[in-house]
Amino acid sequence: MTETVFYAELPWPEVEARIAAGAPVFLPLGATEQHGRHMALNVDVVLPTAIAARAAAAVGGLVLPTLAYGNRSQPKTGGGPGFPGTINLSAQTFALILRDVICDLFRQKVRKIVTVNGHYENIGPTIEGIELALDAIGRDRSDGLVILRVDHWDMVQGATLERIFPDGYPGIELEHASVIETSMMMALRPELVDLTKAAHDGPAAFLPYDRYPKPCAEVPPSGVLSLTEGSSAEKGEWLLADCTAGIVAAVAREFN
Amino acid sequence: MTETVFYAELPWPEVEARIAAGAPVFLPLGATEQHGRHMALNVDVVLPTAIAARAAAAVGGLVLPTLAYGNRSQPKTGGGPGFPGTINLSAQTFALILRDVICDLFRQKVRKIVTVNGHYENIGPTIEGIELALDAIGRDRSDGLVILRVDHWDMVQGATLERIFPDGYPGIELEHASVIETSMMMALRPELVDLTKAAHDGPAAFLPYDRYPKPCAEVPPSGVLSLTEGSSAEKGEWLLADCTAGIVAAVAREFN
Amino acid sequence: MTETVFYAELPWPEVEARIAAGAPVFLPLGATEQHGRHMALNVDVVLPTAIAARAAAAVGGLVLPTLAYGNRSQPKTGGGPGFPGTINLSAQTFALILRDVICDLFRQKVRKIVTVNGHYENIGPTIEGIELALDAIGRDRSDGLVILRVDHWDMVQGATLERIFPDGYPGIELEHASVIETSMMMALRPELVDLTKAAHDGPAAFLPYDRYPKPCAEVPPSGVLSLTEGSSAEKGEWLLADCTAGIVAAVAREFN
Amino acid sequence: MTETVFYAELPWPEVEARIAAGAPVFLPLGATEQHGRHMALNVDVVLPTAIAARAAAAVGGLVLPTLAYGNRSQPKTGGGPGFPGTINLSAQTFALILRDVICDLFRQKVRKIVTVNGHYENIGPTIEGIELALDAIGRDRSDGLVILRVDHWDMVQGATLERIFPDGYPGIELEHASVIETSMMMALRPELVDLTKAAHDGPAAFLPYDRYPKPCAEVPPSGVLSLTEGSSAEKGEWLLADCTAGIVAAVAREFN
Amino acid sequence: MTETVFYAELPWPEVEARIAAGAPVFLPLGATEQHGRHMALNVDVVLPTAIAARAAAAVGGLVLPTLAYGNRSQPKTGGGPGFPGTINLSAQTFALILRDVICDLFRQKVRKIVTVNGHYENIGPTIEGIELALDAIGRDRSDGLVILRVDHWDMVQGATLERIFPDGYPGIELEHASVIETSMMMALRPELVDLTKAAHDGPAAFLPYDRYPKPCAEVPPSGVLSLTEGSSAEKGEWLLADCTAGIVAAVAREFN
Amino acid sequence: MTETVFYAELPWPEVEARIAAGAPVFLPLGATEQHGRHMALNVDVVLPTAIAARAAAAVGGLVLPTLAYGNRSQPKTGGGPGFPGTINLSAQTFALILRDVICDLFRQKVRKIVTVNGHYENIGPTIEGIELALDAIGRDRSDGLVILRVDHWDMVQGATLERIFPDGYPGIELEHASVIETSMMMALRPELVDLTKAAHDGPAAFLPYDRYPKPCAEVPPSGVLSLTEGSSAEKGEWLLADCTAGIVAAVAREFN
């Protein structure tokens, strides 16, 4: 069982040994959130887990269990907290999980941590969780602790986006459940994608502000914020390759 | 993709429809915790997930993503917070996750919830999380909300324990990483068990109190609190069958 | 007034002197909780206070004021949060009290602390409170800080249980308001026990899971989970002697 | 045992019956805090408990267990958090205890609550705890819930203060461990007072601001902020009579 | 004094009357954060306050006191928490302020609330604070409560950006302390801008991930993330006009 | 712009330089609270801000942005949380702001901090916030950190009060919105005072206890707890001079 990159599939002596040997530890951050009528709720879990696993395989790292529940979905970036199926943690709860996990990794002498995020709304509470951990651990460190915070979509190369969106990239926020996520899911878990169910009620035309508590009327009923046309497993592989390469490069730059 | 019992492998319209049709929702509660030299760290994730999935299949239910990080491991029941590999959440963090998930399930009209726990130390903060959710939702309900809290080991029949332990059952606490858990893992994920690595440094002889902060000297170095001898996949299936049947019976009794 | 073991009955210079001389400090942890129709609500306060006082007298220790409010009573171990008379703290509140008291004892150079618990539901948040204090104080200590966590029932010898329960010990959880607690109360505060009011509606036959929010129908209406028959002050003294001796032995083993 | 006013010395059916009959419930709020070389640390527990008990006896009320740990002692009103013997809760912990106790009293249909405070620093977090409970319970009530918050020293009549302090009343803050508290302790628990140990290092001459973190140099080393001369049990009885009468009058005015 | 739009410059009867008459209430959200060598630390306070005041004047609204401390500055959007002068609140503290203020506005019957944000890092905890308030107040409202959340930069028209950045808009994140903010400050508080002090060490070339705890080396030493060249009060007025008009339009659309 | 004492009106290099040169940093603590029909809601913001600015000018200090929202107003000291116009933070929220600001000032090497409070109800949570910051930073400091906590009314000389109140000083609590505050506002912001609107419904005759949740009937309807007769800008200047001189003296005594 020792060939796996998955931390939790190893017995403790093997984990201890790999960490002592300098293995970076990847923490995928996901969500259980609507991703349109054509994809499963676990898109934000599948993508960062797969990307972290590919990166870990390349650099001798370990992948922690993915956080499967994310910070409250918002209408403009995920459909919003009122969408059926979506399960929302409060920002403080999410940040406390990060704080606890990082503090405990630190306690067992992990000094190279990479969070790999797949859910837009997690950005803020991930930063907060890291800061809370550093509040507890201290920031003036001589032990080399480095935490990298990666949003997978920021690892995609401009050239790749141009290949995928010859008519222009709509931006990652509107990309929710759209071509990028759909393509990567088609590459990784095609059985969880059914393009025949894809609605054509987007792209969303959002007003330039948020409104509470009434759900935002501008969210397309399908939950797809942009469009799914043109998604393909091949494009998914291009994107996954970029994400993996970007993380591998970051690890090489920052942990040596 | 609609045959699965896993909530997060479904698109949102299917989840909405199943909940509207009365599907109970199972939430497996796990941990990432040392389980001896012979088993992976994910035992407390694998077991409740599998049990919940079998029960859900039997009753038309849905299984939520498993909480993969548990409340602080204690020396006498899991080796303790200082064991390599183990990752510990504070009790408050764990309880807040439960609170948030239950409140959000309630919001989307789920009225039948079953937590299926696989980690002893989760018991207290699971109760607290349920109570916190009820503090928020209110307890005088006419909408039929029922939450069942199951520890899988309590579903095992006395007769089964007698078959497995003809010389007497050592109790679930000492069973950590021992015959019961090892047998169920052999039935479910044999590739994550390597009995040749099982140490024989137990069973633990604990003093009748806890000591902090120095790690408890009485924990066997392997992390196995009792013994692994006699573990088998066949016994694992006996246990899994009991757990599944017990939950199915509970669902039948309480949700109708 | 300097003969007392009760910390709060001393002026500060005497407390300062005793701590400087190495006196261990005992913190009894109780609850205000129903204990059947035949006993007062303060059973979980009286017992650990008395046990701590006897142990402190034997080892030159000090007994802090008892926490008189405990963590939320649960149906299977205390009748549950909905029972008249019972007053419930949330787990986080209880843990924060422990944290604050321990941190403040530490600040005034107390290095030998023993919590003596009399309420089953306090176990989890007591552990959490100790861990929170250690999160704040730090765990790598050269100052000899040792905290012992004792549940008084775990100090009872097997031989004593056999004498008291010649037909077999039902286990501490079912013992709520039953022979063990009743006997010790008869030894300590007989005026707070009225066996003529003892109901015979037990022992409880609990289902192997918990149910929320509807109160568990299986709790005997009296609140006595097992039986009171056979309770006596004499048996109470056997039990108190065991508890005291056990703590004295623990203090001798761990603080020297 | 049914003659007592102490809530926790009653079995649950008796508490239930008295509350149903309209008994007001008194919650004494104390502290474990230095009170000079001549008095025990429990002054702030003994006084509000005794006053609440006298008032409860007069109005058919019940007295809950006293909170024995108070909010952080401050130099000018109690000697400060660094004094030996004093044990300090944070304001949030203290407020949460109040919140939980009040919410749970409310749940069991108590509608007449009186907090009787004996520790100056508890005022703020008591108000906060009551407000937090009302945040949870709601403020627009038709069920008659009334909570009275009493500081016992505010119940003393001007005429009594003139009798006790013919040269002028120094104010309650400086009165810490001085004539008022000493006299009441002499009336209630004379064995916990030893006037031969009273130092004459006061009254304190405080600067008109607070300083942190260095302990305030102006606190008299004895911890007595004013003077003890002239303390007597007789004066203590005058004071206790005022406090009792004041609470009885408040109960008559507000709960009918 | 009754001509002002500033809530806190009015006596309570006037505030009560305006709210009863339907005045929307604006809450500006700012920060105390470095904004380069050429501008004061209060840019994020001055801008949303002025924009809210102009909008309030146009629609008969009131402007609450601005929150002058913001959520933790991050390197890529504000220079980061380690920059001299910047003062950082944790996300939870910021969210709790929002929660408390909104709940209290709701209590006094305000039903039209607009948050006007001037600090990028406030976005997440503002959303969380609004959600926490709605958790407390409830979301199924018949009283017409509407909360609008505005980031002022999202109100700028594309045409205006094209006029200001004929060579292309670098995006709001890189705009920190750059042309947009500098121009608006020159229009509003020219005495707080000194363009002779503007450094030319940008624009920042950020790596596509965040790094902790070591400050991000890619932040320009001046704290200006992009460029200041071309800033002018005239451009500032174009921007302020857009922001004001956008909010006025939103108020008209949503509150009627 | 470098002549100002206001921290947030300076660019970061100037703030950094002044702190390095030893400038004490003043943090004014205010509230948005009813102050009668004759004054604006910002009295508790205007007064401590102006006093801090005068003191800072005298000692070469810096004045941070004022906290404009205070801890929950209470009936006897400010009219109470239910008064129109008043906006209340919970005690914990207020304390967390203090904690965060102080910790962040400490991080940037500020070692001389003075809080200048203008709202009675802020006292408790200010102390708590300072203590929470010290819990995080540590109390055994060799870096000279000193925090002074000033309530401005405590800086007024007895002789001045005698001049202002020849018939006797009613005490600061009853002074809410009365002669002292009105006079200082007349000196500082006369346009925010309209004595023709001053009601004559006081002074309040409070009962010697607090009552919840029903608003205290004894609060004068105007919100003025005592009287406004005799207020004048000249008296306001006497008071401001005392407050300034008192703080200057404290700074001289404690920071050198």
Side-chain angles (χ1 to χ4, degrees):
Chain A
M1 72 187 134
T2 57
E3 293 315 300
T4 181
V5 295
F6 290 106
Y7 180 101
E9 294 188 348
L10 295 166
W12 67 261
E14 176 70 15
V15 163
E16 185 181 39
R18 291 205 201 176
I19 289 171
V25 174
F26 296 81
L27 175 59
L29 307 176
T32 298
E33 188 190 34
Q34 75 82 16
H35 274 76
R37 298 177 175 278
H38 69 292
M39 285 201 288
L41 293 159
N42 65 0
V43 171
D44 288 354
V45 168
V46 169
L47 302 190
T49 305
I51 291 165
R54 291 181 181 203
V59 302
L62 290 166
V63 180
L64 289 166
T66 304
L67 298 194
Y69 298 94
N71 182 39
R72 306 185 201 246
S73 175
Q74 291 299 305
K76 290 184 182 175
T77 44
F83 236 93
T86 300
I87 297 176
N88 301 285
L89 298 186
S90 68
Q92 178 73 347
T93 300
F94 191 88
L96 291 176
I97 301 170
L98 259 285
R99 181 199 66 178
D100 286 1
V101 170
I102 291 173
C103 284
D104 224 46
L105 291 174
F106 179 76
R107 177 190 57 70
Q108 53 176 299
K109 306 202 195 316
V110 176
R111 295 294 177 268
K112 301 170 184 170
I113 301 174
V114 186
T115 64
V116 181
N117 181 36
H119 176 61
Y120 187 84
E121 291 86 342
N122 286 347
I123 297 175
T126 301
I127 292 171
E128 181 66 14
I130 293 170
E131 298 277 12
L132 290 174
L134 294 172
D135 286 345
I137 293 171
R139 282 174 176 77
D140 296 324
R141 311 220 56 82
S142 61
D143 54 24
L145 174 68
V146 174
I147 304 169
L148 303 183
R149 199 193 66 73
V150 174
D151 299 311
H152 66 64
W153 51 85
D154 281 339
M155 292 298 170
V156 178
Q157 298 293 316
T160 306
L161 290 176
E162 284 168 23
R163 275 211 287 173
I164 295 176
F165 300 101
D167 300 330
Y169 176 45
I172 184 58
E173 290 182 19
L174 272 194
E175 258 305 298
H176 183 81
S178 302
V179 173
I180 286 182
E181 292 191 324
T182 302
S183 295
M184 289 198 281
M185 281 298 282
M186 289 172 77
L188 292 167
R189 298 286 301 272
E191 79 280 13
L192 299 182
V193 184
D194 180 353
L195 279 178
T196 69
K197 298 254 182 72
H200 301 276
D201 51 3
F206 288 121
L207 293 165
Y209 52 83
D210 296 338
R211 185 178 56 219
Y212 304 84
K214 206 177 65 170
C216 202
E218 297 79 15
V219 178
S222 71
V224 177
L225 298 191
S226 183
L227 297 163
T228 57
E229 280 79 4
S231 303
S232 74
E234 184 188 27
K235 291 177 182 170
E237 284 295 348
W238 301 344
L239 292 158
L240 292 165
D242 272 16
C243 294
T244 306
I247 295 174
V248 168
V251 164
R253 188 184 303 112
E254 303 291 351
F255 290 150
N256 294 310
Chain B
M1 74 189 131
T2 57
E3 294 314 300
T4 182
V5 295
F6 290 105
Y7 180 103
E9 295 189 348
L10 295 167
W12 68 261
E14 176 70 16
V15 163
E16 186 182 39
R18 290 205 200 177
I19 289 171
V25 173
F26 295 82
L27 175 59
L29 307 175
T32 298
E33 187 190 35
Q34 76 82 16
H35 274 77
R37 297 176 176 277
H38 69 294
M39 284 200 290
L41 293 159
N42 65 0
V43 171
D44 288 354
V45 168
V46 169
L47 303 190
T49 306
I51 292 165
R54 292 181 181 204
V59 301
L62 290 167
V63 180
L64 288 166
T66 304
L67 297 194
Y69 298 93
N71 182 39
R72 307 185 200 247
S73 175
Q74 291 299 306
K76 290 183 182 177
T77 43
F83 236 92
T86 300
I87 297 176
N88 301 284
L89 298 185
S90 68
Q92 178 73 345
T93 300
F94 191 88
L96 291 176
I97 301 170
L98 259 284
R99 181 200 64 177
D100 286 2
V101 171
I102 291 172
C103 285
D104 225 44
L105 291 174
F106 179 76
R107 178 190 57 70
Q108 53 176 299
K109 306 203 195 315
V110 176
R111 295 295 177 267
K112 302 170 183 170
I113 301 173
V114 187
T115 64
V116 181
N117 180 36
H119 177 60
Y120 186 84
E121 291 86 342
N122 286 348
I123 296 174
T126 301
I127 292 172
E128 181 65 12
I130 294 170
E131 298 276 14
L132 290 173
L134 294 173
D135 287 346
I137 293 172
R139 282 174 174 79
D140 296 325
R141 310 220 56 81
S142 60
D143 54 24
L145 174 68
V146 174
I147 304 169
L148 304 182
R149 200 193 66 73
V150 173
D151 300 310
H152 67 61
W153 50 86
D154 281 339
M155 293 297 170
V156 179
Q157 299 292 316
T160 307
L161 290 175
E162 283 169 24
R163 274 210 289 172
I164 295 176
F165 300 102
D167 300 330
Y169 177 45
I172 185 58
E173 290 181 19
L174 271 195
E175 257 306 298
H176 183 82
S178 302
V179 173
I180 285 181
E181 293 191 324
T182 302
S183 294
M184 288 197 282
M185 281 297 282
M186 291 172 76
L188 291 167
R189 298 285 302 272
E191 79 280 13
L192 298 182
V193 185
D194 181 353
L195 278 178
T196 68
K197 298 255 181 70
H200 301 276
D201 51 2
F206 288 121
L207 292 164
Y209 52 84
D210 296 337
R211 183 177 57 220
Y212 303 84
K214 206 177 65 170
C216 200
E218 296 79 15
V219 178
S222 72
V224 178
L225 298 191
S226 181
L227 296 164
T228 57
E229 281 80 3
S231 302
S232 75
E234 183 189 27
K235 291 176 182 170
E237 285 295 347
W238 301 345
L239 293 158
L240 292 164
D242 272 15
C243 294
T244 306
I247 295 174
V248 169
V251 164
R253 189 183 302 113
E254 303 290 350
F255 290 150
N256 294 311
Chain C
M1 73 189 132
T2 56
E3 293 315 301
T4 181
V5 295
F6 289 105
Y7 180 102
E9 294 188 348
L10 295 166
W12 67 260
E14 176 70 15
V15 163
E16 185 181 39
R18 291 205 201 176
I19 289 171
V25 174
F26 296 81
L27 175 59
L29 307 176
T32 298
E33 188 190 34
Q34 75 83 15
H35 274 77
R37 297 177 175 276
H38 69 293
M39 284 201 289
L41 293 160
N42 66 0
V43 171
D44 288 354
V45 168
V46 169
L47 302 190
T49 306
I51 291 165
R54 292 182 182 203
V59 301
L62 290 167
V63 180
L64 288 166
T66 303
L67 297 194
Y69 298 93
N71 182 39
R72 306 185 201 245
S73 174
Q74 291 299 305
K76 290 184 181 175
T77 43
F83 236 93
T86 300
I87 296 176
N88 301 284
L89 299 185
S90 68
Q92 178 73 347
T93 300
F94 191 89
L96 290 177
I97 301 170
L98 259 285
R99 181 200 65 179
D100 286 1
V101 170
I102 290 173
C103 284
D104 224 46
L105 291 174
F106 179 76
R107 178 190 57 70
Q108 53 176 299
K109 304 204 196 315
V110 176
R111 295 294 177 268
K112 302 170 183 171
I113 301 173
V114 186
T115 64
V116 181
N117 181 35
H119 176 61
Y120 186 85
E121 291 87 342
N122 287 347
I123 296 175
T126 300
I127 292 172
E128 182 64 14
I130 294 171
E131 298 277 12
L132 289 174
L134 294 173
D135 287 346
I137 294 171
R139 283 174 174 77
D140 296 325
R141 310 221 56 84
S142 61
D143 54 23
L145 174 68
V146 174
I147 303 168
L148 303 182
R149 200 193 65 73
V150 174
D151 299 311
H152 67 63
W153 51 85
D154 281 339
M155 293 298 171
V156 178
Q157 299 292 317
T160 306
L161 290 176
E162 284 169 22
R163 274 210 288 172
I164 295 175
F165 300 101
D167 300 330
Y169 177 45
I172 184 59
E173 290 182 18
L174 272 194
E175 257 306 299
H176 183 81
S178 302
V179 172
I180 285 181
E181 293 192 323
T182 302
S183 294
M184 289 198 281
M185 281 298 282
M186 291 172 76
L188 292 166
R189 299 286 301 274
E191 78 280 13
L192 299 181
V193 185
D194 180 353
L195 279 178
T196 68
K197 298 256 182 70
H200 300 277
D201 51 2
F206 288 120
L207 291 165
Y209 52 84
D210 297 338
R211 184 178 56 220
Y212 304 84
K214 208 177 62 170
C216 201
E218 297 78 16
V219 178
S222 71
V224 178
L225 298 192
S226 182
L227 297 163
T228 57
E229 282 78 4
S231 302
S232 74
E234 183 187 28
K235 290 177 182 171
E237 284 294 348
W238 301 345
L239 293 157
L240 292 165
D242 272 16
C243 293
T244 306
I247 294 174
V248 169
V251 164
R253 189 184 302 112
E254 302 292 351
F255 289 150
N256 294 311
Chain D
M1 73 188 132
T2 57
E3 293 315 300
T4 182
V5 295
F6 290 106
Y7 180 102
E9 294 189 349
L10 295 167
W12 68 261
E14 175 70 15
V15 163
E16 186 181 38
R18 291 205 199 176
I19 290 171
V25 173
F26 295 82
L27 175 59
L29 307 176
T32 298
E33 188 190 33
Q34 76 82 16
H35 273 76
R37 298 176 176 277
H38 69 293
M39 284 200 289
L41 293 160
N42 65 0
V43 171
D44 288 354
V45 168
V46 168
L47 302 191
T49 306
I51 292 164
R54 291 181 181 204
V59 301
L62 290 167
V63 180
L64 288 167
T66 304
L67 298 194
Y69 298 93
N71 182 38
R72 308 185 200 246
S73 175
Q74 291 299 304
K76 290 183 181 175
T77 43
F83 237 91
T86 301
I87 296 176
N88 302 285
L89 298 186
S90 69
Q92 178 74 346
T93 300
F94 191 88
L96 291 176
I97 301 170
L98 259 285
R99 181 200 64 178
D100 286 2
V101 171
I102 291 173
C103 284
D104 225 44
L105 291 174
F106 179 76
R107 178 190 56 71
Q108 53 176 299
K109 305 202 195 316
V110 176
R111 295 294 177 268
K112 301 171 183 170
I113 301 174
V114 186
T115 64
V116 181
N117 180 36
H119 176 61
Y120 187 84
E121 292 86 342
N122 286 349
I123 296 175
T126 301
I127 292 172
E128 182 65 13
I130 293 170
E131 298 276 12
L132 290 174
L134 294 173
D135 287 346
I137 293 172
R139 282 174 175 78
D140 295 325
R141 310 222 54 83
S142 60
D143 54 24
L145 174 68
V146 174
I147 304 169
L148 303 182
R149 199 194 66 73
V150 173
D151 300 311
H152 66 64
W153 51 86
D154 280 339
M155 293 297 170
V156 178
Q157 299 293 315
T160 307
L161 290 176
E162 283 169 23
R163 274 211 288 172
I164 295 175
F165 300 101
D167 300 330
Y169 177 45
I172 185 58
E173 289 182 19
L174 273 195
E175 257 306 298
H176 183 83
S178 303
V179 173
I180 286 181
E181 292 191 325
T182 302
S183 294
M184 289 197 282
M185 280 297 282
M186 290 172 76
L188 291 166
R189 298 285 302 272
E191 78 281 11
L192 298 183
V193 185
D194 180 354
L195 279 178
T196 68
K197 299 256 181 70
H200 301 275
D201 52 3
F206 288 120
L207 292 165
Y209 51 83
D210 296 337
R211 185 177 57 218
Y212 303 84
K214 205 176 67 169
C216 201
E218 296 79 14
V219 178
S222 71
V224 177
L225 298 192
S226 182
L227 296 163
T228 58
E229 281 79 2
S231 302
S232 74
E234 183 188 28
K235 291 177 182 170
E237 284 295 347
W238 300 345
L239 293 158
L240 292 164
D242 272 16
C243 294
T244 306
I247 295 175
V248 168
V251 164
R253 188 183 304 112
E254 303 291 351
F255 290 150
N256 294 310
Chain E
M1 74 189 131
T2 57
E3 294 313 301
T4 182
V5 295
F6 291 105
Y7 180 103
E9 295 189 347
L10 294 167
W12 67 261
E14 175 70 16
V15 164
E16 185 181 38
R18 291 205 200 176
I19 290 171
V25 174
F26 296 81
L27 175 60
L29 307 176
T32 298
E33 188 189 34
Q34 75 82 16
H35 274 77
R37 297 177 176 278
H38 70 295
M39 284 200 291
L41 293 160
N42 65 1
V43 171
D44 289 354
V45 168
V46 169
L47 302 190
T49 306
I51 291 164
R54 292 181 181 203
V59 301
L62 290 167
V63 181
L64 289 167
T66 304
L67 297 194
Y69 298 93
N71 182 38
R72 308 184 199 246
S73 175
Q74 291 299 305
K76 290 183 182 176
T77 43
F83 237 92
T86 300
I87 296 177
N88 302 285
L89 299 186
S90 68
Q92 178 73 347
T93 300
F94 190 89
L96 290 176
I97 301 170
L98 259 284
R99 180 200 64 178
D100 286 2
V101 171
I102 291 172
C103 285
D104 225 45
L105 290 174
F106 179 76
R107 178 190 56 71
Q108 53 176 298
K109 305 204 195 315
V110 177
R111 294 294 177 269
K112 302 170 182 170
I113 301 173
V114 186
T115 65
V116 181
N117 181 35
H119 176 62
Y120 187 83
E121 292 86 342
N122 286 349
I123 297 174
T126 300
I127 292 171
E128 182 65 13
I130 293 170
E131 297 277 12
L132 290 174
L134 294 173
D135 287 345
I137 293 172
R139 283 174 175 77
D140 295 325
R141 310 220 56 82
S142 60
D143 54 24
L145 173 69
V146 173
I147 303 168
L148 303 182
R149 199 194 65 73
V150 173
D151 300 310
H152 66 62
W153 51 86
D154 280 340
M155 292 297 170
V156 178
Q157 299 293 316
T160 306
L161 291 175
E162 283 169 24
R163 274 211 289 173
I164 295 175
F165 300 101
D167 300 331
Y169 176 45
I172 185 59
E173 290 181 18
L174 271 194
E175 256 306 297
H176 183 81
S178 302
V179 173
I180 285 181
E181 292 191 324
T182 302
S183 295
M184 288 197 282
M185 282 297 282
M186 291 172 76
L188 292 166
R189 298 285 303 273
E191 79 280 13
L192 298 182
V193 184
D194 180 354
L195 278 177
T196 69
K197 298 255 181 71
H200 301 276
D201 52 2
F206 289 120
L207 292 164
Y209 51 84
D210 297 336
R211 184 178 56 219
Y212 304 84
K214 204 175 66 169
C216 200
E218 297 79 15
V219 178
S222 71
V224 177
L225 298 191
S226 182
L227 296 164
T228 58
E229 281 79 4
S231 302
S232 74
E234 183 189 27
K235 290 177 182 170
E237 284 295 348
W238 299 345
L239 292 158
L240 292 165
D242 272 15
C243 294
T244 306
I247 294 174
V248 169
V251 164
R253 189 183 301 113
E254 303 291 350
F255 290 150
N256 294 310
Chain F
M1 75 189 130
T2 57
E3 293 314 300
T4 182
V5 295
F6 290 105
Y7 181 102
E9 294 188 348
L10 295 166
W12 68 261
E14 176 70 15
V15 163
E16 185 180 38
R18 291 205 201 176
I19 289 171
V25 174
F26 296 80
L27 175 60
L29 307 176
T32 298
E33 187 190 33
Q34 76 82 16
H35 274 76
R37 296 177 176 278
H38 69 293
M39 285 200 290
L41 293 159
N42 65 1
V43 171
D44 289 354
V45 168
V46 169
L47 302 190
T49 306
I51 292 165
R54 292 181 182 203
V59 301
L62 290 167
V63 181
L64 289 166
T66 304
L67 298 194
Y69 299 93
N71 182 38
R72 307 185 200 245
S73 174
Q74 291 299 305
K76 290 183 182 176
T77 44
F83 236 93
T86 300
I87 296 176
N88 302 285
L89 298 186
S90 68
Q92 178 73 348
T93 300
F94 190 89
L96 291 176
I97 300 170
L98 259 285
R99 181 200 65 179
D100 286 1
V101 170
I102 291 172
C103 284
D104 224 44
L105 291 174
F106 180 76
R107 177 191 57 70
Q108 53 176 300
K109 305 203 194 315
V110 176
R111 295 294 177 268
K112 302 171 182 169
I113 301 173
V114 186
T115 64
V116 181
N117 181 35
H119 177 60
Y120 187 83
E121 291 86 342
N122 286 347
I123 296 174
T126 301
I127 292 172
E128 182 65 14
I130 293 170
E131 298 276 13
L132 289 174
L134 295 173
D135 287 345
I137 293 172
R139 283 175 174 76
D140 296 324
R141 309 221 57 82
S142 61
D143 53 24
L145 174 68
V146 174
I147 303 168
L148 303 183
R149 199 193 66 73
V150 174
D151 300 311
H152 66 63
W153 50 85
D154 281 338
M155 292 299 172
V156 178
Q157 299 292 316
T160 306
L161 290 176
E162 284 169 22
R163 274 210 290 173
I164 296 175
F165 300 101
D167 300 330
Y169 177 45
I172 184 58
E173 290 181 18
L174 271 195
E175 258 305 299
H176 183 81
S178 303
V179 173
I180 286 181
E181 293 190 324
T182 301
S183 295
M184 289 197 281
M185 281 298 282
M186 290 172 76
L188 292 166
R189 298 287 301 271
E191 79 279 14
L192 298 182
V193 184
D194 180 353
L195 279 178
T196 68
K197 298 256 182 70
H200 300 276
D201 52 2
F206 288 121
L207 293 165
Y209 51 84
D210 297 337
R211 184 178 57 220
Y212 302 85
K214 207 177 64 170
C216 200
E218 297 79 15
V219 178
S222 71
V224 177
L225 298 191
S226 182
L227 297 163
T228 57
E229 282 78 4
S231 302
S232 74
E234 183 188 27
K235 290 178 182 170
E237 284 296 347
W238 300 345
L239 292 158
L240 292 164
D242 272 15
C243 294
T244 306
I247 295 174
V248 168
V251 164
R253 189 184 301 113
E254 304 291 350
F255 289 151
N256 294 310

